[in-house]
Structure formats: structure tokens, C-alpha cells
Amino acid sequence: MSPVVIVGAGPTGLTLSLLLAKRGMASVLVERDSDPKRHPAAHVLNTRTMEVFREIGVAQELEAACQPQERAAYISWVVSVTGRLLGREPIAPPDLDSILALSPTRAIQFPQNRLEQRLQSRVRESPLIDFRTACTCEAVEPRADQVAVTVRRRGASDTERITGEWLVACDGASSPVRRMLGIRAEGPVLQYMLGIYFTADLSRHVDGRESTLYWLMNPQAPGVLVSYWLPDEWVLNVPYFPPQQQPADFPEPLCRELIYAALGTRDVPDLNVVDVSPWVMSARMAETFQRGRCLLAGDAAHTMPPTGGLGLNTGVQDAHNLAWKLAAVCRGTADASFLRTYELERRTIARRNIDISLQNLARNQAVHALAGASVQRLKLLVAIQNSWPFRQLPASWQAGLVRTAVQFGTRQFLMLDDNGPLGERLRARLTGRLPTGAEHYRIGGDLGGVYRRGAIIAEVASRPDADDPVLTYRPTTSPGARLPHVWLVDREGQRRSLFDLLEADGYLLLVHAEGQPVWDAAIAQARSQTGWPVRCLAIGEGAEHQDPSGTWRPLSEVEPTGAILVRPDGHVAWRTARVESPQHAATALTEALQRLHDSGAASADEAHGTVTGR
Ligand SMILES: Cc1cc2nc3c(=O)[nH]c(=O)nc-3n(C[C@H](O)[C@H](O)[C@H](O)COP(=O)(O)OP(=O)(O)OC[C@H]3O[C@@H](n4cnc5c(N)ncnc54)[C@H](O)[C@@H]3O)c2cc1C
């Protein structure tokens, strides 16, 4: 029996298997597809995700391989790529340098298909990961002490049973495992989209207006063109309206016409349509992230519109939250109930990220409405096309009417290109209304995720949040927050990020140099009373690690005798501003570890209340 069975080798499942392997935990990773995804999908890897990738040793490789950021660090609003430019805003916030100083790594643009190839290579190198591709999970049988998973290899007539102590469903937005477990996903479907992935060297067409995204205010191709890899990898995303329209209604010749309309030119001799994939824009959340020995992570647990680039990032960070807890439970360091803290912590973050993505979507819709294409009209169209009388019409009429209605709904975009006063007035409406760089990249949304409940000991009187905890970020050691990053220098003169010194399987107790003797003694006493490993790391004059820039002391927010207990995932579990005596330190630490150990049982009660209260 494997400790953990993971279904789905998207970014969430791949990352989880690698984080478990880093802790010496074996897993079976089951994936339906035989090859990595062709379609690029996500492209924004935020700073926090890159910190997770740094932990599994892939961040530097990704940083080296990504394309130069400045070339396309813009978002444009256009009638077409070569046509009228309505606005072009930088993605990077004006205070980029101060943001870069907050982490040992940085946010990058890296297409999901290329990312998955690299993660898969790492997975294949690991002797601890049994990676089974072309293998579909067909049934799940949860039991009291294990989970049995039935899988079928592609083309095989027989199935195979794999058993694990725990099952993690990382099988994406439509999550077959979630359905098998009878867990509902709640929330709206916002739009059906078609992603037309094509290659074409567009260098001369985009020269001077390179952008990551081109919002197309174009009646023939209303949607968004995404630049994945310059000069020639692109995806045109356009809406479609089922049931009258289906992906099959978009054969390659029609896709080429849509691309020509989006580009505003047919002069694309090397155009190659690689893949056309439908996807659903939704904002949904599973009613629970755990049922018995089965857990949900990534899109299986929550989906959000891509406006914000947070879906993949949220999934990778779910895996980061879950891996050390699963390892602790499988090893017997923590009780099974400790895993309850996973949902308690991650549900709040998923909710916040859904809200950020919805706000971004609303902001974009407002821009489109100013240009004459309102979301109300779209809602009306959907209501009409699903109404009983409409559905009585012959199918070809229905399809034709839906097509006409979409063109009618976006026809005012035509006026954006008008050289007369009407066009000028319409364009003037957009001036100053396009989202700015700070709104595109939200540093608080990236680094400011704080767990308020779960495997932490919250403080009654923490310092208040920054003005807007999504737009701004204030480094803090407040329990639940991500530990602030600083560069330290060890005795050999090596520069190390504080994040590189975290414990994989236990807590790190950060203290100032002068407090070390007291806390070393406290750890020795606490360790004998709780099973959790704790290591002391002292920073400052005469200690193992120096802080040459002097930034750590004010950042630590604790006095010379204080201490900060950090979890393996880099979130602060507990801190004390000061202690009065060695005995005080030992008692405080023992009590904190005990409460953290018991936090699962407390969370189980809360989580139960949440689910049944719905
Ligand atoms: C156009 C677009 C742009 C996006 N841009 C961004 C972005 O910039 N940043 C961002 O963070 N997110 C973005 N996203 C969202 C991101 O793509 C998803 O959130 C991400 O793929 C979720 O990862 P996952 O591993 O949870 O699920 P998935 O990537 O969906 O992986 C699930 C895996 O499970 C497998 N599977 C399914 N069923 C079974 C089964 N029964 N047995 C075995 N295997 C199974 C599937 O084959 C698949 O490989 C974007 C999405 C879209 C559509």
C-alpha cells in the first residue's frame, strides 16, 4: 500500500508528488493522458508559487528558461492586433524593485504546457514517485483505514486496484473523483470559451505593441489573444454559447477566420492551428475539501476565472499546504485529524482568490460595457437561448439566431474604429478607465495570504492589516502569515535565503542571537513532551547566521528574547514577543506545540460546522 495516491498530474498533482518525495514520502501518481498537455492554458506563475518551486529545486531552471519579461509586460486593448490601439498598460507595478526584494525568486510568465513538461521530468527522475500515465481512475472506494482506487490503463480490458492510506484528487475542474465521492461544487458557470492555440511568427505585426494580453473589441472576434511564447505561440480565446453552439461548430477554416479578424490581417503565411480546446470559465468551490481519507486540491476543489492568473497558483499552493501535513500524518507525528487544518486554511484563500478574479473580470466587463458590449446583453442572450419557446425552433434557426445575437451584442465595437465624432466620443469614454499596472499585479494577493484559523495560534491583538490587503503587502511574522524573506550569511560566508533554511518535516524556531541559549534549552524540554521536531535558528552577531543588511531585527517584530515558530511551508505558526525566564520559554513553547498538535481536532469541529451549516 502506498502512503498517498494522487489522481491527476496537472500542476497541482505533479507539485504535490514532488513535495512529498522531498520529505521521503512515496506516492502513486495516476494520469489519464499519455503526454503532457499541448494547450498552454496558464502562464502567470506568481512569486509565492515560484517560492514553492524553489523548494523542489525547479525555480532557478524556470527563471533561466523564461522569456525576458520586459518584452511583453503590457496589456493592450485593441480593435485588432494590427488595427486601432485603444490603450496599452504596463503589467508591472511602478514599485517593481521593492517587490523584487521581498522574495528570493520572482513572478514569471511560463506557459503551463512547458511547465508540466519540466515537472514531469522531475517526477520521472524520482524513485519515490510511481508515475502512471494513460491510466484513468474509474472508481474510488474509501474505507476506514485506506482508500482503494480502480484504474484502467488505456486500451486494457482489465482494471487494477491501487490502495493508499490517503487519496488526493488533483483531477481538475470537472474532477471525476469529486463526483465519485458525491461532493458537490457550488458557484456559477460564467462563460463557455474556446481556446484556439496557433503558431505564427507575428513579430512584425506586434512590433512596438508587444503585450501579454490583447483584449479584442472586435465584433468578428470578441475575446482575448494571449501571447505565450514570442514570437510564435498564441492562443485566441473566444466565447461560444451552448447548447446552440458547440466546439464542433468551430472547424479549422472558421478558426483561421477568427484569427485573421483578431490580427486584422490575413498576411500570416506560416499560420498553423495546433489545437482547439473548449474550457469553462467558472467560479466554483467544492462543498468540502475532504471526505474521510480523500482530499481535493487545485481545480478539483475550486475554480476561478483566469482574470488574475490565480487558478494554477492556488492549486500549487494547496499542494504546498497539504504535503507536510500528509507526511506528518503518514509518519505518525500528527493525528489524522491534523489534515482538517488543510481545508480550514485553504478554503479562505481559495475564496479570496475567486473574489480577486471576479473583481478583475468585472473591471474588464466594465471597460467592454463602456465600449458598448454590456454583460447584461450577454445574460439576456443566455436567458433567451435557454427559454422553452426558443428551444422549439429548428436547430439551424436557433444556431443562426444565436450567432446573429452575438454579432448584434458587439456591433458597437465597430464604432471604435470610426474616424468621426461618434468614434472619438466612444474612445474618449475609455480614457483613464483601463485597469492600471497595480491592478493587474496585486502583491498582497500574491504574498499576503494569511491563515486565520488552522494549524496556527492566532494572536488576539495582531497589528491591523495594510490599507488594502490585496493591493498592498506588509511583511509580518504575525501567526498565519508567510514568513518575510531576508538574505542571511552563514559561517562559510554563503548567502542563504531564510526560506532555504526551513525544516521539511518539523518546525523552525527563529530567535535573535542573544536569546539562543534560553531557546535551545526550551526546545530540549519541549521536544521530550511532543513528537514534533523543532530546530532553533539564531540570527545575529556571533550566531550561525548573520544578517548583514540589518533587516531581520525590525522585520521579526519580536524583542531580543522573543521567538517565531515557522511551519515547513513557511507560514508562521506561533510567536512570542518576549519571555521573562528560561522556564517561561520552555512552558510557552511546549504549550504552543501541544496546541498546534491538537489544532486538527479543533479544526474538525469547525469544519464539520461549516459543512452542515450550508
Ligand atoms: C485560458 C486559461 C488561462 C489560464 N491562465 C492562468 C494563469 O495565468 N495563472 C494561473 O494560475 N492559472 C491560470 N489558469 C488556470 C489553470 O490552467 C488551472 O487552474 C490549472 O490547470 C489547475 O491545475 P490542476 O492541476 O488543479 O488541474 P488540471 O490542470 O486540470 O489537471 C488535472 C489533471 O487530471 C487528469 N485527470 C482528470 N480526470 C482523471 C481521471 N479520472 N484519472 C486520471 N487522471 C485524470 C487530467 O488529464 C489532468 O492532467 C488558466 C486557465 C485557462 C483555461
Side-chain angles (χ1 to χ4, degrees):
M1 178 163 69
S2 174
V4 183
V5 177
I6 302 167
V7 176
T12 308
L14 289 163
T15 306
L16 180 61
S17 66
L18 289 166
L19 284 165
L20 288 170
K22 192 193 166 210
R23 293 173 166 81
M25 297 297 304
S27 62
V28 180
L29 176 58
V30 177
E31 168 55 45
R32 184 181 55 194
D33 292 342
S34 48
D35 301 309
K37 278 187 200 72
R38 286 207 300 175
H39 209 85
H43 51 111
V44 180
L45 305 182
N46 69 19
T47 314
R48 191 65 186 131
T49 289
M50 288 295 284
E51 288 174 355
V52 177
F53 288 156
R54 186 179 166 93
E55 198 178 313
I56 50 176
V58 289
Q60 274 166 314
E61 173 188 331
L62 297 175
E63 280 181 42
C66 73
Q67 293 202 306
Q69 309 280 295
E70 59 280 4
R71 282 184 72 187
Y74 291 88
I75 294 188
S76 288
W77 279 262
V78 295
V79 172
S80 70
V81 170
T82 56
R84 195 181 290 271
L85 179 69
L86 303 163
R88 185 165 180 256
E89 290 288 334
I91 299 176
D95 53 344
L96 184 62
D97 284 345
S98 56
I99 286 178
L100 289 175
L102 294 170
S103 174
T105 179
R106 64 190 164 101
I108 61 168
Q109 305 261 355
F110 207 86
Q112 183 171 342
N113 53 353
R114 288 171 191 254
L115 170 71
E116 288 187 21
Q117 281 168 22
R118 285 174 189 265
L119 293 177
Q120 278 204 12
S121 307
R122 295 297 177 112
V123 161
R124 287 180 201 283
E125 283 164 14
S126 171
L128 287 169
I129 305 171
D130 177 359
F131 185 26
R132 305 194 189 181
T133 52
C135 212
T136 300
C137 166
E138 291 190 344
V140 170
E141 210 183 306
R143 305 207 190 117
D145 56 345
Q146 56 172 240
V147 188
V149 178
T150 305
V151 300
R152 187 188 301 274
R153 194 166 284 281
R154 186 168 311 151
S157 52
D158 294 337
T159 57
E160 187 191 342
R161 269 162 84 84
I162 304 171
T163 53
E165 287 175 49
W166 295 91
L167 166 71
V168 188
C170 303
D171 51 347
S174 57
S175 182
V177 172
R178 186 186 65 223
R179 288 161 201 259
M180 289 170 206
L181 294 169
I183 300 174
R184 282 178 300 133
E186 296 162 345
V189 165
L190 301 161
Q191 182 61 56
Y192 293 89
M193 300 292 294
L194 211 60
I196 305 169
Y197 174 30
F198 66 95
T199 57
D201 184 346
L202 300 182
S203 309
R204 69 202 157 93
H205 294 313
V206 299
D207 194 24
R209 55 168 75 168
E210 286 93 347
S211 300
T212 297
L213 300 181
Y214 297 84
W215 287 101
L216 296 156
M217 296 190 163
N218 182 317
Q220 268 98 46
V224 59
L225 178 72
V226 186
S227 157
Y228 280 94
W229 203 262
L230 289 171
D232 60 1
E233 281 186 53
W234 307 83
V235 174
L236 173 62
N237 293 290
V238 289
Y240 74 98
F241 296 86
Q244 288 83 5
Q245 288 185 327
Q246 295 294 336
D249 298 331
F250 292 78
E252 188 179 326
L254 177 56
C255 290
R256 295 177 81 90
E257 289 305 320
L258 290 168
I259 294 167
Y260 293 142
L263 299 179
T265 176
R266 304 179 78 84
D267 180 15
V268 202
D270 58 343
L271 172 61
N272 175 32
V273 176
V274 181
D275 182 52
V276 181
S277 293
W279 57 278
V280 181
M281 191 194 292
S282 62
R284 293 167 76 74
M285 184 112 84
E287 60 181 327
T288 177
F289 291 3
Q290 180 174 7
R291 184 147 292 164
R293 291 185 164 266
C294 306
L295 297 127
L296 309 180
D299 275 16
H302 41 67
T303 61
M304 53 201 78
T307 37
L310 287 170
L312 178 152
N313 290 299
T314 313
V316 166
Q317 292 162 37
D318 286 348
H320 195 220
N321 184 288
L322 191 52
W324 68 278
K325 294 176 181 174
L326 267 174
V329 169
C330 290
R331 287 220 170 82
T333 315
D335 299 335
S337 65
F338 192 59
L339 286 173
R340 286 285 173 193
T341 64
Y342 162 68
E343 168 156 13
L344 213 52
E345 294 176 354
R346 293 307 298 170
R347 178 175 281 281
T348 321
I349 298 293
R351 182 70 258 165
R352 181 197 68 152
N353 291 352
I354 289 174
D355 290 343
I356 294 174
S357 307
L358 286 172
Q359 283 158 18
N360 288 343
L361 181 67
R363 217 173 278 123
N364 278 327
Q365 285 171 340
V367 173
H368 283 77
L370 285 172
S374 94
V375 76
Q376 300 311 331
R377 281 198 211 155
L378 205 66
K379 285 187 176 156
L380 185 64
L381 166 64
V382 172
I384 292 172
Q385 71 174 140
N386 286 314
S387 67
W388 185 84
F390 191 80
R391 301 289 292 273
Q392 305 316 303
L393 297 172
S396 60
W397 288 27
Q398 289 185 44
L401 284 166
V402 167
R403 234 183 355 258
T404 311
V406 174
Q407 278 164 6
F408 177 75
T410 54
R411 80 187 189 296
Q412 205 166 335
F413 283 160
L414 283 173
M415 293 311 298
L416 284 168
D417 224 6
D418 178 72
N419 288 324
L422 268 179
E424 253 169 48
R425 213 174 308 139
L426 197 55
R427 289 191 294 276
R429 277 202 220 161
L430 301 181
T431 311
R433 307 295 290 272
L434 302 177
T436 61
E439 287 165 303
H440 291 309
Y441 180 67
R442 305 172 144 221
I443 183 63
D446 183 347
L447 298 181
V450 178
Y451 301 138
R452 306 277 177 201
R453 298 175 304 164
I456 59 148
I457 301 174
E459 286 173 359
V460 182
S462 285
R463 274 168 60 181
D465 281 331
D467 305 342
D468 179 335
V470 171
L471 275 182
T472 56
Y473 165 69
R474 179 178 64 79
T476 174
T477 60
S478 179
R482 160 193 171 273
L483 180 72
H485 149 77
V486 284
W487 288 111
L488 302 174
V489 175
D490 67 15
R491 289 213 165 103
E492 281 75 49
Q494 288 255 314
R495 200 167 89 117
R496 310 282 299 272
S497 164
L498 187 48
F499 289 168
D500 299 340
L501 301 168
L502 295 173
E503 289 291 285
D505 290 309
Y507 292 105
L508 185 70
L509 190 72
L510 289 172
V511 302
H512 296 298
E514 50 272 57
Q516 183 165 20
V518 166
W519 286 107
D520 273 341
I523 287 176
Q525 197 172 328
R527 207 187 277 132
S528 63
Q529 291 177 37
T530 73
W532 281 96
V534 185
R535 183 169 73 86
C536 185
L537 183 98
I539 300 171
E541 207 53 43
E544 196 184 335
H545 288 87
Q546 308 287 313
D547 168 27
S549 63
T551 45
W552 171 244
R553 200 166 278 266
L555 267 183
S556 74
E557 299 175 326
V558 299
E559 295 174 20
T561 59
I564 302 153
L565 191 68
V566 189
R567 315 188 320 184
D569 63 359
H571 281 258
V572 176
W574 167 79
R575 70 177 174 180
T576 180
R578 76 193 74 80
V579 288
E580 310 303 338
S581 65
Q583 192 49 47
H584 180 193
T587 312
L589 181 62
T590 308
E591 203 182 291
L593 288 170
Q594 200 58 56
R595 280 180 64 190
L596 289 169
H597 188 78
D598 295 342
S599 56
S603 303
D605 296 342
E606 280 193 57
H608 184 67
T610 319
V611 173
T612 52
R614 224 178 285 272

